[in-house]
Amino acid sequence: MEAIRKQASKLREQVAKQQQAVLKQFGAGGYGASDSILADESELNQHQKLEKLYISTRAAKHFQRDVVRGVEGYIVTGSKQVEIGTKLSDDSKKYGAENTCTSGSTLSKAALSYGRARAQMEKERENLLKALGPQVAEPLRAMVMGAPLEDARHLAQRYDRMRQEAEAQAIEVSKRHAKVQESMGNPDYTLKLESAEAKLQELRSNVATLGKEAAAAMAAVEAQQQRLTLQRLISMVESERSFHKRVIEILDQLEGEMVSERQRIEASPSPAVENPVPPPPAYEEVNSVFAFSSYNGVTDGMGYFLGEVMHSYQAESDVELNLSVGDYVVVRKVTNNGWAEGECRGKAGWFPFGFVERRDRVLASKVAEVL
């Protein structure tokens, strides 16, 4: 009989150990331990709520860290962009201030305008980068590292440890119940059972109280995380939107100036002639040398010089010379009625003198083209 009792006791201990192992296995799958070891339904709901809060606040914390890293990286790369853009602005303004060409100062003006606009855009970018740090990164970093979140997590971890202790105590009470039944009401076993039950009741009360405190703290942190993170994201969007809006305004103004200047050049009319220009004087070729007769016997004594064609001219007779903008002409004679005679690209003829401008310095390659 005694052997049967010992065998039954061993079997009960094995069952209790297996039950405890199974409970631990299920409890290791998520936050805290098993949801079924404590029979109190309200405590079970509290435990599940706290588990969700713990997961939510942890995810929000990681997202806040990602935003901080992203903003810091944007500031670093943006600062490099400001440096490059400022250098381009300085180079453009330097070219515009120090360089002109024989055909005018259109490119110099455009370079100056672009340099000034680029400087304004980089200033706007610099202001954006300065705002992102204190408005977005710093508040989120402070919350990630702040005490409220850590304090709430510590409460949740204390609750979890106490709950595991209560579960272990519940198993101990179950074992002592079995021993009391086996000993047929042994006073010592009964006393130990009552002590274990009292401890379990105290632990359950403490678990319920601590669970409420931890859940309240975690819920407060979660609400603060949601509110603060959303506010900082909105602030970042507003800052970037304001930056891009200002840049678009600067670019629109710059484009308007450049397009207006280009249209002015393209629409530049041919030089106006107050009085109709009389036909050019006649000339004849003698021994491959052109002999010119003056119109009404009048010529000036300017001598030969090079002129740059500023306006195209289409010859209307065999004695006239075709001109294209940018060509150079050897001007050999100018009459007092607005006509000039010269040679361009191996051809000689008359053309309106107002269509060219005198040039004292011309590249040798241009002279070669004329001849």
Side-chain angles (χ1 to χ4, degrees):
M1 192 66 177
E2 185 65 25
I4 294 175
R5 287 175 182 165
K6 289 182 178 180
Q7 186 176 4
S9 178
K10 288 182 179 179
L11 289 173
R12 281 193 294 270
E13 289 179 358
Q14 290 176 359
V15 170
K17 288 181 180 179
Q18 290 174 356
Q19 182 182 12
Q20 188 173 3
V22 170
L23 291 172
K24 287 183 178 179
Q25 181 179 359
F26 280 104
Y31 170 81
S34 169
D35 290 339
S36 61
I37 190 64
L38 299 178
D40 191 341
E41 184 177 355
S42 63
E43 195 283 328
L44 179 59
N45 293 334
Q46 187 70 44
H47 171 70
Q48 293 174 344
K49 177 183 178 181
L50 191 56
E51 181 180 21
K52 293 178 180 178
L53 286 168
Y54 194 90
I55 294 172
S56 173
T57 53
R58 181 177 58 190
K61 177 181 178 180
H62 291 167
F63 178 59
Q64 287 176 330
R65 282 178 174 173
D66 293 339
V67 174
V68 171
R69 293 192 189 101
V71 171
E72 290 175 343
Y74 184 83
I75 292 174
V76 172
T77 55
S79 299
K80 187 63 177 178
Q81 286 181 311
V82 170
E83 180 182 343
I84 296 171
T86 301
K87 179 65 168 59
L88 177 58
S89 170
D90 293 340
D91 292 341
S92 299
K93 288 188 286 187
K94 180 179 179 181
Y95 174 85
E98 298 179 358
N99 293 274
T100 57
C101 61
T102 57
S103 60
S105 58
T106 301
L107 181 58
S108 298
K109 292 178 181 178
L112 283 172
S113 297
Y114 179 81
R116 287 192 293 266
R118 173 57 62 181
Q120 291 176 343
M121 289 188 288
E122 298 311 327
K123 184 64 178 178
E124 293 295 331
R125 187 189 302 276
E126 189 175 10
N127 292 337
L128 170 65
L129 299 178
K130 289 180 179 178
L132 290 181
Q135 290 182 8
V136 180
E138 293 178 9
L140 292 179
R141 186 187 299 110
M143 186 166 191
V144 169
M145 305 299 295
L149 176 60
E150 291 304 313
D151 291 345
R153 290 165 67 90
H154 289 159
L155 275 177
Q157 290 165 0
R158 282 179 55 198
Y159 161 80
D160 185 48
R161 289 193 296 269
M162 186 174 292
R163 194 171 190 277
Q164 291 179 7
E165 185 179 352
E167 290 172 349
Q169 186 63 25
I171 294 174
E172 181 66 20
V173 168
S174 178
K175 290 170 60 177
R176 292 195 180 279
H177 265 295
K179 287 186 178 181
V180 167
Q181 291 176 0
E182 182 182 345
S183 64
M184 302 300 181
N186 186 306
D188 291 338
Y189 287 156
T190 302
L191 185 62
K192 290 180 179 180
L193 173 61
E194 292 175 353
S195 175
E197 289 177 339
K199 183 177 180 181
L200 176 60
Q201 187 63 31
E202 181 182 1
L203 285 172
R204 282 178 171 173
S205 176
N206 292 338
V207 165
T209 302
L210 188 58
K212 291 178 181 179
E213 293 178 2
M218 294 291 283
V221 168
E222 181 189 54
Q224 186 180 8
Q225 284 179 327
Q226 298 291 308
R227 182 175 60 256
L228 178 64
T229 306
L230 179 59
Q231 289 175 348
R232 295 309 94 200
L233 287 177
I234 292 175
S235 177
M236 182 165 59
V237 170
E238 290 175 345
S239 297
E240 289 193 271
R241 182 177 180 274
S242 177
F243 161 71
H244 290 294
K245 182 179 179 181
R246 178 59 183 143
V247 168
I248 289 175
E249 291 174 355
I250 295 172
L251 289 174
D252 285 344
Q253 181 178 356
L254 175 61
E255 183 185 28
E257 294 175 359
M258 288 184 167
V259 170
S260 177
E261 180 66 16
R262 184 181 66 185
Q263 291 175 345
R264 185 190 66 80
I265 295 172
E266 292 177 350
S268 180
S270 299
V273 180
E274 295 182 359
N275 299 316
V277 179
Y283 64 90
E284 57 185 356
E285 184 176 2
V286 179
N287 296 329
S288 299
V289 177
F290 290 97
F292 304 97
S293 59
S294 64
Y295 185 79
N296 292 332
V298 180
T299 62
D300 69 6
M302 295 179 65
Y304 286 28
F305 63 89
L306 281 175
E308 181 181 358
V309 178
M310 307 306 295
H311 303 280
S312 298
Y313 178 71
Q314 184 67 35
E316 297 180 359
S317 67
D318 294 339
V319 299
E320 297 179 19
L321 187 63
N322 289 321
L323 300 178
S324 298
V325 175
D327 286 347
Y328 283 84
V329 183
V330 176
V331 181
R332 298 187 291 202
K333 186 183 295 291
V334 179
T335 68
N336 62 353
N337 64 353
W339 285 90
E341 188 279 332
E343 183 178 353
C344 178
R345 300 184 183 275
K347 295 182 180 180
W350 293 94
F351 55 88
F353 182 60
F355 281 52
V356 301
E357 289 185 4
R358 181 167 181 160
R359 294 287 182 260
D360 294 328
R361 298 178 59 187
V362 182
L363 295 175
S365 58
K366 293 296 183 181
V367 176
E369 289 179 4
V370 173
L371 302 176

